[in-house]
Amino acid sequence: MARVAGVSRSTASYALSGKRTISPEVRLKVAEAVASLGYTPNAGARALATSQTKVIALLAQFLDDEFAPAMLQYILGVTNTARQLGYDTLLVSEGDGAAALQRISSSRMVDGFVLLNVAQDDERLGVLQSASQPGALVGLPGETGDFDIFDLDFVATGRLMVERMSELGHRELILVSQPEHVVERGGAYVWRLANAASERAEELGVTLHHYFGSASQPEIGRDLNAFLDAHPDATGLLLNNEAAAAALPNVLNMRGISSPGDLSVIGRYSDDFARTFSLPYSAIDSAADELGRRAVEHLVARIEAAADLAVEPLIELIPPTIQDRGSTAAPQPR
Amino acid sequence: MARVAGVSRSTASYALSGKRTISPEVRLKVAEAVASLGYTPNAGARALATSQTKVIALLAQFLDDEFAPAMLQYILGVTNTARQLGYDTLLVSEGDGAAALQRISSSRMVDGFVLLNVAQDDERLGVLQSASQPGALVGLPGETGDFDIFDLDFVATGRLMVERMSELGHRELILVSQPEHVVERGGAYVWRLANAASERAEELGVTLHHYFGSASQPEIGRDLNAFLDAHPDATGLLLNNEAAAAALPNVLNMRGISSPGDLSVIGRYSDDFARTFSLPYSAIDSAADELGRRAVEHLVARIEAAADLAVEPLIELIPPTIQDRGSTAAPQPR
DNA sequence: CTGAAAGCGCTTACAG
DNA sequence: CTGAAAGCGCTTACAG
């Protein structure tokens, strides 16, 4: 390219980067050469020379009972934001996330990592700690270390669900969580929400029955019926379980009851999920795309920060907000 | 690393690649040094020296009315297969796919491309044609050129749906396709299926009513009711529209009819989709993960093929198979 | 069986 | 304002 433009390789490089002043004529000649050749710098060579790849890795974990569309929201939040900031995204879906992180880090394929679905005791964190590239976590682990962490505030979410029901006059609630094995494999958010809800209920003098529900149909439909049968006086239903939310319309239909007349409902799932299933329930948005976006923004800031001004570790728990779809009301007098 | 092992850089490199015979002692020393340092070759340097990145790009298109879970199936099929073959995957979700393809190709970030959701007249194909890396298409375009193409055989799918119904004795069918604007933006598979179904119906003396349905709830529910109202004598329903399949259980419920007793149903959607929505209808699997897998396998074969033995362009249309879920039967005498 | 050297295509101090 | 040169970390003919 430099030859075509009739200048030296260094001048051409500077003309492209703008890192030193270039005479108008040279600038024009370089621009013409670039245009005529369709020239783009070789990414590998640039990476080698600058130690910057302009790529980030997205470490996704595809768990069998995870709800796929939610995953896609995260992925899109990450790739789109990364691209806006000048980065491409390497999508890593290997089962062994720790090994993949090690491999990609030490081969210096990327400038940073976004870890999705971080568990209570996530084996990837040890590897990330000793990696030479920074990382941002989506999901709050037990040990926060010096990591940048982004998650929905599940404690505030549990409290908010109960408070909203209590304000409306409900005194007996049912909370349906994800299956217990989600907790076992490190999904601590399930407990964080459930514990916060229980505590807040106690403070407010509200009875709260907590259950783990199945993660798929038709089991979760049977579960919901069983829970409702067990507590005929409960007037409010809280759902921290996407399959339960998807199954509920049919269950209510079958039982011949309606929301919010007979039962007030608050869920916790993404707006996108609600749209896909046409769910008519008020819900706290899980904010997947926003979490993905914030994680990338902060990761890139850290990547590009001058080494001398250290960026403080950041834990950002997004406050819950209820998207009102009209599924809550005061309990009906019986 | 070579210094730690006490050998030359070239010997170390050969010891790792195995491209020439190495004495056992040296091999051991190198292995030890690699292990102790956690050494992995620098990807950028290797790419520069070999002109191979061991990365493929996945060009996804996220269309607003596309069903997200299907997308994820493709993505997983691609990333998992690529990894098995020794490649990482760059996920590209930019709106302007042609520009992204141009940028990534000319910067030589990847060894090849997988294009998802290829449309009838896809603007990315011109760029791919003149790219220096090979590509594999998922989705059959109008001009096949010299590309490697993978898709479900939608012509055979349309014929099979009609044949199955005809064999059972149905004489009047309704086909609900994706919305018309899907066709307009290049989703030719909609027409390929519909035309093949119509032709086959004519051959077999079966009446087929073809409609475009909405892509989301609750509109598609209203659409289905309207179609069923318009043709009270139709005994079979063919669905090439995922939203319609998801909405159908409720629609049938409301109308007080059941499948296959009152209405035989055959859909076209992925097994994963069926599981997510607990759909009880027999359907032709759209085989997203298999298409992703086949595309990557062939792409890698082409990447790694010696330049002298040219690989023939391949168009692979996967034959449809009906996953029987018991939603078809002989029509009831009225 | 092993080593010294060239080269991949960039960027960036170093000179002028 | 511009050019000649070194160097990023590998791989691979070329010698021995």
Side-chain angles (χ1 to χ4, degrees), chain A residues 56-57 59 90-92 94 98-110 112-113 133, chain B residues 40 43 83 88:
Chain A
I56 63 171
L59 295 190
L90 201 71
L91 177 61
V92 184
E94 288 172 67
L101 180 45
Q102 175 67 54
R103 173 175 65 81
I104 290 168
S105 170
S106 70
S107 67
R108 284 158 202 283
M109 296 178 73
V110 305
F113 294 91
Q133 303 91 345
Chain B
T40 311
R83 192 64 213 118
D88 283 295

Side-chain angles (χ1 to χ4, degrees), chain B residues 9-10 13-14 19 46:
Chain B
R9 306 156 49 40
S10 56
S13 178
Y14 282 117
K19 288 192 181 165
R46 170 173 275 180

Side-chain angles (χ1 to χ4, degrees), chain A residues 9-10 13-14 19 39 46:
Chain A
R9 304 155 53 39
S10 55
S13 179
Y14 282 116
K19 287 192 183 165
Y39 171 85
R46 171 174 274 178

Side-chain angles (χ1 to χ4, degrees), chain A residues 203-259:
Chain A
E203 287 169 18
L204 294 170
V206 171
T207 303
L208 179 80
H209 308 287
H210 179 218
Y211 291 100
F212 298 103
S214 306
S216 59
Q217 320 237 30
E219 293 83 357
I220 183 63
R222 287 199 283 272
D223 291 349
L224 286 169
N225 274 311
F227 304 154
L228 291 170
D229 287 344
H231 307 288
D233 293 337
T235 55
L237 182 60
L238 309 177
L239 301 176
N240 185 26
N241 179 318
E242 279 151 330
L248 190 59
N250 256 323
V251 169
L252 296 189
N253 211 21
M254 297 287 196
R255 298 177 74 91
I257 65 179
S258 68
S259 172

Side-chain angles (χ1 to χ4, degrees), chain A residues 174-334:
Chain A
I174 300 173
L175 166 62
V176 180
S177 287
Q178 298 271 59
E180 199 151 15
H181 65 92
V182 171
V183 178
E184 279 157 17
R185 82 169 169 239
Y189 71 94
V190 174
W191 266 117
R192 285 204 298 275
L193 187 153
N195 286 348
S198 294
E199 278 177 28
R200 193 68 184 127
E202 196 157 351
E203 287 169 18
L204 294 170
V206 171
T207 303
L208 179 80
H209 308 287
H210 179 218
Y211 291 100
F212 298 103
S214 306
S216 59
Q217 320 237 30
E219 293 83 357
I220 183 63
R222 287 199 283 272
D223 291 349
L224 286 169
N225 274 311
F227 304 154
L228 291 170
D229 287 344
H231 307 288
D233 293 337
T235 55
L237 182 60
L238 309 177
L239 301 176
N240 185 26
N241 179 318
E242 279 151 330
L248 190 59
N250 256 323
V251 169
L252 296 189
N253 211 21
M254 297 287 196
R255 298 177 74 91
I257 65 179
S258 68
S259 172
D262 307 298
L263 189 69
S264 286
V265 179
I266 302 179
R268 200 275 314 150
Y269 44 76
S270 74
D271 285 353
D272 193 66
F273 184 87
R275 217 170 306 121
T276 301
F277 287 84
S278 304
L279 293 182
Y281 311 117
S282 300
I284 291 164
D285 185 8
S286 37
D289 52 352
E290 184 181 352
L291 286 168
R293 184 169 54 71
R294 298 286 298 128
V296 172
E297 284 170 355
H298 201 73
L299 177 64
V300 168
R302 192 174 280 284
I303 289 171
E304 298 182 348
D308 44 335
L309 52 119
V311 182
E312 279 295 299
L314 173 69
I315 300 186
E316 188 171 309
L317 300 181
I318 295 186
T321 55
I322 294 184
Q323 169 91 25
D324 190 352
R325 296 194 183 87
S327 65
T328 57
Q332 270 184 349
R334 314 219 168 190

Side-chain angles (χ1 to χ4, degrees), chain B residues 4-235:
Chain B
V4 172
V7 300
S8 73
R9 306 156 49 40
S10 56
T11 302
S13 178
Y14 282 117
L16 285 177
S17 69
K19 288 192 181 165
R20 73 182 184 191
T21 39
I22 301 283
S23 70
E25 310 94 70
V26 170
R27 203 201 317 269
L28 186 65
K29 281 196 295 184
V30 169
E32 279 171 355
V34 165
S36 77
L37 299 178
Y39 171 86
T40 311
N42 180 297
R46 170 173 275 180
L48 191 54
T50 62
S51 306
Q52 278 204 61
T53 63
K54 289 287 177 179
V55 178
I56 63 170
L58 174 57
L59 295 189
Q61 311 225 84
F62 293 89
L63 307 167
D64 32 337
D65 54 357
E66 203 76 32
F67 194 72
M71 212 62 206
L72 203 57
Q73 286 296 107
Y74 285 113
I75 294 176
L76 285 182
V78 168
T79 57
N80 290 337
T81 307
R83 192 64 213 118
Q84 277 170 22
L85 298 174
Y87 288 75
D88 283 295
T89 303
L90 201 71
L91 176 62
V92 184
S93 60
E94 287 173 68
D96 188 345
L101 179 46
Q102 176 65 54
R103 175 175 64 81
I104 290 168
S105 170
S106 69
S107 66
R108 283 154 203 284
M109 298 178 71
V110 305
D111 297 337
F113 294 91
V114 173
L115 274 60
L116 246 45
N117 233 323
V118 172
Q120 177 73 2
D121 181 23
D122 199 302
E123 54 171 2
R124 298 173 295 179
L125 297 186
V127 182
L128 180 59
Q129 185 108 48
S130 50
S132 45
Q133 303 91 346
L137 318 188
V138 178
L140 179 63
E143 281 290 330
T144 59
D146 285 336
F147 299 117
D148 293 323
I149 300 171
F150 301 84
D151 204 354
L152 179 64
D153 189 337
F154 281 95
V155 169
T157 299
R159 298 174 62 87
L160 178 58
M161 285 174 150
V162 170
E163 282 163 10
R164 182 61 53 93
M165 289 292 194
S166 174
E167 283 162 12
L168 289 167
H170 296 270
R171 315 313 302 161
E172 185 172 349
L173 307 173
I174 301 174
L175 166 61
V176 180
S177 287
Q178 297 273 59
E180 198 152 13
H181 64 92
V182 170
V183 179
E184 279 157 16
R185 80 167 172 242
Y189 70 94
V190 174
W191 266 118
R192 285 202 300 273
L193 188 152
N195 285 347
S198 294
E199 276 177 29
R200 193 69 183 124
E202 195 157 350
E203 288 169 17
L204 295 169
V206 171
T207 304
L208 179 79
H209 308 288
H210 178 219
Y211 291 100
F212 298 103
S214 306
S216 60
Q217 320 236 27
E219 292 83 357
I220 184 63
R222 287 199 284 272
D223 291 348
L224 286 169
N225 273 310
F227 304 154
L228 292 171
D229 287 344
H231 306 288
D233 293 335
T235 55

